[in-house]
Amino acid sequence: MIARDVDFHGFSFAKNDRVLLAFTAGNNDPKEFDTPDELVLGRSKNRHLTFSAGPHRCIGSHLARLELRIALSEWFDAVPSFTLDPDLPPQLHLGGVYGLHRLNLLVR
């Protein structure tokens, strides 16, 4: 909760307002990522907060990375050529877990 009335970067908050700090929003920081809105699987500078950080880092992060590596490998073997549907852009799901609600692909 907000401790006192404050203006922050053009937004006004009143004492006792509730706010949600979405850590994953840091993954879109243009100061940290050259192209934050692009999926770059081989990004060399990749200090993302997907699994949090420090003592709060997700205990299952290593398993999740392995599962994702396997899933993507299987996907690319089965569907080697695809593109985003330009008429139906991806729909993001925001909140405690950041991800995709809808991803429409055109398979070639």
Side-chain angles (χ1 to χ4, degrees), residues 65-86:
R65 287 175 190 266
L66 176 61
E67 290 174 336
L68 185 57
R69 188 176 301 119
I70 292 168
L72 288 175
S73 176
E74 293 294 320
W75 170 264
F76 290 126
D77 285 348
V79 186
S81 183
F82 60 91
T83 184
L84 292 175
D85 185 338

PDB file of all heavy atoms in Angstrom, residues 65-86:
ATOM      1  N   ARG A  65      13.307 -24.366 -17.436  1.00  0.00           N
ATOM      2  CA  ARG A  65      14.163 -24.107 -18.611  1.00  0.00           C
ATOM      3  C   ARG A  65      14.383 -25.384 -19.418  1.00  0.00           C
ATOM      4  O   ARG A  65      14.341 -25.363 -20.643  1.00  0.00           O
ATOM      5  CB  ARG A  65      15.514 -23.545 -18.170  1.00  0.00           C
ATOM      6  CG  ARG A  65      15.466 -22.129 -17.690  1.00  0.00           C
ATOM      7  CD  ARG A  65      16.852 -21.737 -17.154  1.00  0.00           C
ATOM      8  NE  ARG A  65      16.822 -20.495 -16.473  1.00  0.00           N
ATOM      9  CZ  ARG A  65      17.092 -19.328 -17.028  1.00  0.00           C
ATOM     10  NH1 ARG A  65      17.385 -19.254 -18.303  1.00  0.00           N
ATOM     11  NH2 ARG A  65      17.053 -18.227 -16.320  1.00  0.00           N
ATOM     12  N   LEU A  66      14.612 -26.489 -18.729  1.00  0.00           N
ATOM     13  CA  LEU A  66      14.805 -27.764 -19.413  1.00  0.00           C
ATOM     14  C   LEU A  66      13.533 -28.167 -20.158  1.00  0.00           C
ATOM     15  O   LEU A  66      13.581 -28.568 -21.323  1.00  0.00           O
ATOM     16  CB  LEU A  66      15.198 -28.847 -18.419  1.00  0.00           C
ATOM     17  CG  LEU A  66      15.342 -30.265 -18.977  1.00  0.00           C
ATOM     18  CD1 LEU A  66      16.427 -30.317 -20.048  1.00  0.00           C
ATOM     19  CD2 LEU A  66      15.651 -31.240 -17.860  1.00  0.00           C
ATOM     20  N   GLU A  67      12.390 -28.038 -19.488  1.00  0.00           N
ATOM     21  CA  GLU A  67      11.121 -28.378 -20.127  1.00  0.00           C
ATOM     22  C   GLU A  67      10.865 -27.498 -21.349  1.00  0.00           C
ATOM     23  O   GLU A  67      10.394 -27.984 -22.385  1.00  0.00           O
ATOM     24  CB  GLU A  67       9.974 -28.236 -19.129  1.00  0.00           C
ATOM     25  CG  GLU A  67       9.986 -29.284 -18.045  1.00  0.00           C
ATOM     26  CD  GLU A  67       8.943 -29.049 -16.980  1.00  0.00           C
ATOM     27  OE1 GLU A  67       8.506 -27.885 -16.801  1.00  0.00           O
ATOM     28  OE2 GLU A  67       8.555 -30.023 -16.317  1.00  0.00           O
ATOM     29  N   LEU A  68      11.170 -26.215 -21.236  1.00  0.00           N
ATOM     30  CA  LEU A  68      10.986 -25.306 -22.366  1.00  0.00           C
ATOM     31  C   LEU A  68      11.918 -25.670 -23.521  1.00  0.00           C
ATOM     32  O   LEU A  68      11.512 -25.652 -24.688  1.00  0.00           O
ATOM     33  CB  LEU A  68      11.203 -23.853 -21.929  1.00  0.00           C
ATOM     34  CG  LEU A  68      10.934 -22.797 -22.978  1.00  0.00           C
ATOM     35  CD1 LEU A  68       9.509 -22.894 -23.512  1.00  0.00           C
ATOM     36  CD2 LEU A  68      11.186 -21.417 -22.395  1.00  0.00           C
ATOM     37  N   ARG A  69      13.166 -26.001 -23.211  1.00  0.00           N
ATOM     38  CA  ARG A  69      14.121 -26.397 -24.244  1.00  0.00           C
ATOM     39  C   ARG A  69      13.614 -27.627 -25.000  1.00  0.00           C
ATOM     40  O   ARG A  69      13.653 -27.683 -26.230  1.00  0.00           O
ATOM     41  CB  ARG A  69      15.493 -26.676 -23.628  1.00  0.00           C
ATOM     42  CG  ARG A  69      16.584 -26.913 -24.651  1.00  0.00           C
ATOM     43  CD  ARG A  69      17.954 -27.092 -24.014  1.00  0.00           C
ATOM     44  NE  ARG A  69      18.348 -25.926 -23.232  1.00  0.00           N
ATOM     45  CZ  ARG A  69      18.593 -25.944 -21.913  1.00  0.00           C
ATOM     46  NH1 ARG A  69      18.502 -27.057 -21.226  1.00  0.00           N
ATOM     47  NH2 ARG A  69      18.941 -24.849 -21.282  1.00  0.00           N
ATOM     48  N   ILE A  70      13.087 -28.605 -24.275  1.00  0.00           N
ATOM     49  CA  ILE A  70      12.559 -29.821 -24.894  1.00  0.00           C
ATOM     50  C   ILE A  70      11.308 -29.494 -25.717  1.00  0.00           C
ATOM     51  O   ILE A  70      11.175 -29.939 -26.866  1.00  0.00           O
ATOM     52  CB  ILE A  70      12.252 -30.890 -23.822  1.00  0.00           C
ATOM     53  CG1 ILE A  70      13.557 -31.389 -23.198  1.00  0.00           C
ATOM     54  CG2 ILE A  70      11.453 -32.048 -24.418  1.00  0.00           C
ATOM     55  CD1 ILE A  70      13.352 -32.222 -21.949  1.00  0.00           C
ATOM     56  N   ALA A  71      10.396 -28.707 -25.147  1.00  0.00           N
ATOM     57  CA  ALA A  71       9.160 -28.364 -25.854  1.00  0.00           C
ATOM     58  C   ALA A  71       9.454 -27.611 -27.147  1.00  0.00           C
ATOM     59  O   ALA A  71       8.869 -27.913 -28.197  1.00  0.00           O
ATOM     60  CB  ALA A  71       8.251 -27.535 -24.946  1.00  0.00           C
ATOM     61  N   LEU A  72      10.367 -26.646 -27.101  1.00  0.00           N
ATOM     62  CA  LEU A  72      10.702 -25.892 -28.312  1.00  0.00           C
ATOM     63  C   LEU A  72      11.392 -26.768 -29.342  1.00  0.00           C
ATOM     64  O   LEU A  72      11.129 -26.648 -30.549  1.00  0.00           O
ATOM     65  CB  LEU A  72      11.569 -24.678 -27.968  1.00  0.00           C
ATOM     66  CG  LEU A  72      10.838 -23.536 -27.264  1.00  0.00           C
ATOM     67  CD1 LEU A  72      11.824 -22.447 -26.858  1.00  0.00           C
ATOM     68  CD2 LEU A  72       9.734 -22.967 -28.142  1.00  0.00           C
ATOM     69  N   SER A  73      12.245 -27.656 -28.911  1.00  0.00           N
ATOM     70  CA  SER A  73      12.909 -28.573 -29.836  1.00  0.00           C
ATOM     71  C   SER A  73      11.877 -29.449 -30.549  1.00  0.00           C
ATOM     72  O   SER A  73      11.928 -29.623 -31.780  1.00  0.00           O
ATOM     73  CB  SER A  73      13.911 -29.443 -29.075  1.00  0.00           C
ATOM     74  OG  SER A  73      14.487 -30.390 -29.942  1.00  0.00           O
ATOM     75  N   GLU A  74      10.929 -29.985 -29.796  1.00  0.00           N
ATOM     76  CA  GLU A  74       9.870 -30.800 -30.389  1.00  0.00           C
ATOM     77  C   GLU A  74       9.007 -29.972 -31.343  1.00  0.00           C
ATOM     78  O   GLU A  74       8.617 -30.437 -32.407  1.00  0.00           O
ATOM     79  CB  GLU A  74       9.000 -31.433 -29.300  1.00  0.00           C
ATOM     80  CG  GLU A  74       9.722 -32.463 -28.459  1.00  0.00           C
ATOM     81  CD  GLU A  74      10.120 -33.696 -29.258  1.00  0.00           C
ATOM     82  OE1 GLU A  74       9.324 -34.146 -30.108  1.00  0.00           O
ATOM     83  OE2 GLU A  74      11.234 -34.206 -29.039  1.00  0.00           O
ATOM     84  N   TRP A  75       8.694 -28.747 -30.945  1.00  0.00           N
ATOM     85  CA  TRP A  75       7.881 -27.862 -31.787  1.00  0.00           C
ATOM     86  C   TRP A  75       8.583 -27.607 -33.122  1.00  0.00           C
ATOM     87  O   TRP A  75       7.980 -27.755 -34.187  1.00  0.00           O
ATOM     88  CB  TRP A  75       7.600 -26.540 -31.072  1.00  0.00           C
ATOM     89  CG  TRP A  75       6.989 -25.520 -31.988  1.00  0.00           C
ATOM     90  CD1 TRP A  75       7.629 -24.529 -32.666  1.00  0.00           C
ATOM     91  CD2 TRP A  75       5.619 -25.414 -32.364  1.00  0.00           C
ATOM     92  NE1 TRP A  75       6.748 -23.809 -33.425  1.00  0.00           N
ATOM     93  CE2 TRP A  75       5.494 -24.338 -33.259  1.00  0.00           C
ATOM     94  CE3 TRP A  75       4.475 -26.136 -32.023  1.00  0.00           C
ATOM     95  CZ2 TRP A  75       4.286 -23.948 -33.819  1.00  0.00           C
ATOM     96  CZ3 TRP A  75       3.263 -25.744 -32.581  1.00  0.00           C
ATOM     97  CH2 TRP A  75       3.177 -24.670 -33.468  1.00  0.00           C
ATOM     98  N   PHE A  76       9.855 -27.211 -33.070  1.00  0.00           N
ATOM     99  CA  PHE A  76      10.575 -26.886 -34.307  1.00  0.00           C
ATOM    100  C   PHE A  76      10.789 -28.111 -35.186  1.00  0.00           C
ATOM    101  O   PHE A  76      10.862 -27.996 -36.403  1.00  0.00           O
ATOM    102  CB  PHE A  76      11.897 -26.189 -34.001  1.00  0.00           C
ATOM    103  CG  PHE A  76      11.716 -24.787 -33.472  1.00  0.00           C
ATOM    104  CD1 PHE A  76      12.304 -24.404 -32.281  1.00  0.00           C
ATOM    105  CD2 PHE A  76      10.958 -23.856 -34.142  1.00  0.00           C
ATOM    106  CE1 PHE A  76      12.140 -23.118 -31.783  1.00  0.00           C
ATOM    107  CE2 PHE A  76      10.772 -22.571 -33.660  1.00  0.00           C
ATOM    108  CZ  PHE A  76      11.369 -22.207 -32.475  1.00  0.00           C
ATOM    109  N   ASP A  77      10.882 -29.297 -34.597  1.00  0.00           N
ATOM    110  CA  ASP A  77      10.954 -30.520 -35.391  1.00  0.00           C
ATOM    111  C   ASP A  77       9.631 -30.779 -36.112  1.00  0.00           C
ATOM    112  O   ASP A  77       9.604 -31.192 -37.267  1.00  0.00           O
ATOM    113  CB  ASP A  77      11.292 -31.732 -34.512  1.00  0.00           C
ATOM    114  CG  ASP A  77      12.754 -31.766 -34.096  1.00  0.00           C
ATOM    115  OD1 ASP A  77      13.568 -30.998 -34.665  1.00  0.00           O
ATOM    116  OD2 ASP A  77      13.072 -32.553 -33.178  1.00  0.00           O
ATOM    117  N   ALA A  78       8.518 -30.542 -35.421  1.00  0.00           N
ATOM    118  CA  ALA A  78       7.199 -30.821 -35.989  1.00  0.00           C
ATOM    119  C   ALA A  78       6.700 -29.711 -36.913  1.00  0.00           C
ATOM    120  O   ALA A  78       6.027 -29.970 -37.905  1.00  0.00           O
ATOM    121  CB  ALA A  78       6.184 -31.044 -34.865  1.00  0.00           C
ATOM    122  N   VAL A  79       7.028 -28.466 -36.586  1.00  0.00           N
ATOM    123  CA  VAL A  79       6.535 -27.310 -37.346  1.00  0.00           C
ATOM    124  C   VAL A  79       7.724 -26.388 -37.636  1.00  0.00           C
ATOM    125  O   VAL A  79       7.929 -25.392 -36.944  1.00  0.00           O
ATOM    126  CB  VAL A  79       5.443 -26.557 -36.556  1.00  0.00           C
ATOM    127  CG1 VAL A  79       4.837 -25.450 -37.403  1.00  0.00           C
ATOM    128  CG2 VAL A  79       4.369 -27.501 -36.054  1.00  0.00           C
ATOM    129  N   PRO A  80       8.528 -26.732 -38.652  1.00  0.00           N
ATOM    130  CA  PRO A  80       9.752 -25.965 -38.880  1.00  0.00           C
ATOM    131  C   PRO A  80       9.538 -24.566 -39.460  1.00  0.00           C
ATOM    132  O   PRO A  80      10.398 -23.704 -39.329  1.00  0.00           O
ATOM    133  CB  PRO A  80      10.529 -26.834 -39.870  1.00  0.00           C
ATOM    134  CG  PRO A  80       9.496 -27.661 -40.542  1.00  0.00           C
ATOM    135  CD  PRO A  80       8.396 -27.865 -39.548  1.00  0.00           C
ATOM    136  N   SER A  81       8.383 -24.308 -40.077  1.00  0.00           N
ATOM    137  CA  SER A  81       8.185 -23.015 -40.721  1.00  0.00           C
ATOM    138  C   SER A  81       6.811 -22.447 -40.363  1.00  0.00           C
ATOM    139  O   SER A  81       5.779 -23.021 -40.686  1.00  0.00           O
ATOM    140  CB  SER A  81       8.303 -23.189 -42.249  1.00  0.00           C
ATOM    141  OG  SER A  81       8.187 -21.940 -42.883  1.00  0.00           O
ATOM    142  N   PHE A  82       6.823 -21.311 -39.693  1.00  0.00           N
ATOM    143  CA  PHE A  82       5.582 -20.662 -39.288  1.00  0.00           C
ATOM    144  C   PHE A  82       5.843 -19.178 -39.121  1.00  0.00           C
ATOM    145  O   PHE A  82       6.989 -18.727 -39.063  1.00  0.00           O
ATOM    146  CB  PHE A  82       5.039 -21.263 -37.981  1.00  0.00           C
ATOM    147  CG  PHE A  82       5.974 -21.126 -36.821  1.00  0.00           C
ATOM    148  CD1 PHE A  82       5.905 -20.028 -35.985  1.00  0.00           C
ATOM    149  CD2 PHE A  82       6.935 -22.091 -36.576  1.00  0.00           C
ATOM    150  CE1 PHE A  82       6.781 -19.893 -34.918  1.00  0.00           C
ATOM    151  CE2 PHE A  82       7.814 -21.969 -35.510  1.00  0.00           C
ATOM    152  CZ  PHE A  82       7.738 -20.860 -34.683  1.00  0.00           C
ATOM    153  N   THR A  83       4.765 -18.403 -39.040  1.00  0.00           N
ATOM    154  CA  THR A  83       4.867 -16.970 -38.819  1.00  0.00           C
ATOM    155  C   THR A  83       3.664 -16.531 -37.991  1.00  0.00           C
ATOM    156  O   THR A  83       2.660 -17.246 -37.908  1.00  0.00           O
ATOM    157  CB  THR A  83       4.924 -16.201 -40.155  1.00  0.00           C
ATOM    158  OG1 THR A  83       5.125 -14.816 -39.891  1.00  0.00           O
ATOM    159  CG2 THR A  83       3.649 -16.380 -40.961  1.00  0.00           C
ATOM    160  N   LEU A  84       3.759 -15.369 -37.391  1.00  0.00           N
ATOM    161  CA  LEU A  84       2.620 -14.812 -36.661  1.00  0.00           C
ATOM    162  C   LEU A  84       1.541 -14.408 -37.649  1.00  0.00           C
ATOM    163  O   LEU A  84       1.837 -13.925 -38.745  1.00  0.00           O
ATOM    164  CB  LEU A  84       3.043 -13.579 -35.860  1.00  0.00           C
ATOM    165  CG  LEU A  84       3.976 -13.793 -34.676  1.00  0.00           C
ATOM    166  CD1 LEU A  84       4.391 -12.455 -34.089  1.00  0.00           C
ATOM    167  CD2 LEU A  84       3.319 -14.647 -33.618  1.00  0.00           C
ATOM    168  N   ASP A  85       0.303 -14.599 -37.272  1.00  0.00           N
ATOM    169  CA  ASP A  85      -0.817 -14.152 -38.091  1.00  0.00           C
ATOM    170  C   ASP A  85      -0.912 -12.630 -37.969  1.00  0.00           C
ATOM    171  O   ASP A  85      -1.182 -12.121 -36.883  1.00  0.00           O
ATOM    172  CB  ASP A  85      -2.116 -14.815 -37.608  1.00  0.00           C
ATOM    173  CG  ASP A  85      -3.306 -14.492 -38.474  1.00  0.00           C
ATOM    174  OD1 ASP A  85      -3.287 -13.469 -39.188  1.00  0.00           O
ATOM    175  OD2 ASP A  85      -4.277 -15.268 -38.444  1.00  0.00           O
ATOM    176  N   PRO A  86      -0.688 -11.887 -39.071  1.00  0.00           N
ATOM    177  CA  PRO A  86      -0.695 -10.418 -38.971  1.00  0.00           C
ATOM    178  C   PRO A  86      -2.069  -9.843 -38.645  1.00  0.00           C
ATOM    179  O   PRO A  86      -2.173  -8.723 -38.149  1.00  0.00           O
ATOM    180  CB  PRO A  86      -0.213  -9.962 -40.343  1.00  0.00           C
ATOM    181  CG  PRO A  86      -0.505 -11.101 -41.260  1.00  0.00           C
ATOM    182  CD  PRO A  86      -0.415 -12.353 -40.422  1.00  0.00           C
TER     183      PRO A  86
END
